[in-house]
Amino acid sequence: MGSNQDDKQKLMEPQELIALARQLSERLKKHDDSATELLIRGRSLQRREEAVAELSAALTAHSGVPFLQSSRPDIVKELQQERRVLLALRQENDELLEAVQENGDAIQYVMKKYRQHSKKLCDLREQDTVCPSIIDKYELGGEVHSICAVETLIR
């Protein structure tokens, strides 16, 4: 009988579960927004890198042309600087991709926890262990029902 009381104490109140679900949802949205922003920045950097590579190729192709105002050593020096810039951009792109992956992992973790809590809430609702007076008092019936409906669809 003592372990039954311990089990009841470990269960979250429906309003706590719903508040947690909202927090998780907000975090997911923030992570999604930041991942989208990182992808956009990564694409922008990639376009800049391609433009620099085209310019570098054009300079290399025309380095022997007599009317070119820069000397060959100057062009080589500029190309080396551009190469350093490209390497820095590639490193930044790799870091952005890693950040996107970390955000994806965080989103997966948050969704796993949300599913676990939703399943627990639905199981309790099916067993009638969620106190109907609490649900009525906080007017959570519709929200609990919609969470359980989504959980049923997931199963």
Side-chain angles (χ1 to χ4, degrees):
M1 185 164 189
S3 66
N4 193 15
Q5 267 185 332
D6 292 341
D7 290 343
K8 288 183 181 179
Q9 288 177 351
K10 291 180 185 177
L11 299 176
M12 296 177 71
E13 294 291 329
Q15 64 274 14
E16 291 174 339
L17 183 60
I18 290 170
L20 179 62
R22 285 186 180 136
Q23 287 176 345
L24 294 176
S25 176
E26 289 172 9
R27 286 184 192 163
L28 282 173
K29 185 173 179 351
K30 286 179 184 176
H31 284 290
D32 191 0
D33 292 344
S34 65
T36 301
E37 183 181 323
L38 289 173
L39 286 173
I40 290 169
R41 286 177 52 197
R43 288 183 189 129
S44 174
L45 290 173
Q46 187 177 12
R47 285 192 298 271
R48 280 197 271 168
E49 182 181 4
E50 290 169 357
V52 169
E54 288 176 15
L55 177 63
S56 176
L59 285 174
T60 303
H62 292 83
S63 64
V65 178
F67 62 87
L68 196 59
Q69 294 180 358
S70 298
S71 67
R72 186 173 182 93
D74 290 339
I75 293 174
V76 169
K77 184 178 177 182
E78 288 179 26
L79 287 175
Q80 289 172 343
Q81 289 173 345
E82 291 297 326
R83 183 175 184 271
R84 284 191 287 272
V85 169
L86 284 174
L87 290 175
L89 289 173
R90 281 187 182 149
Q91 182 179 358
E92 185 177 353
N93 194 28
D94 290 342
E95 291 169 0
L96 290 172
L97 288 174
E98 185 178 329
V100 167
Q101 180 62 39
E102 288 174 2
N103 282 333
D105 293 345
I107 289 171
Q108 288 177 358
Y109 176 76
V110 167
M111 286 305 298
K112 177 183 172 186
K113 289 297 183 181
Y114 173 76
R115 286 185 198 106
Q116 287 173 350
H117 288 291
S118 296
K119 183 179 182 322
K120 190 181 292 183
L121 176 66
C122 292
D123 290 345
L124 290 174
R125 182 173 177 254
E126 289 172 4
Q127 297 171 5
D128 269 344
T129 56
V130 176
C131 184
S133 63
I134 292 175
I135 292 175
D136 293 339
K137 179 180 177 183
Y138 293 104
E139 299 175 1
L140 300 173
E143 293 175 0
V144 171
H145 178 71
S146 56
I147 289 173
C148 291
V150 170
E151 177 66 27
T152 303
L153 288 175
I154 291 173
R155 287 183 190 175

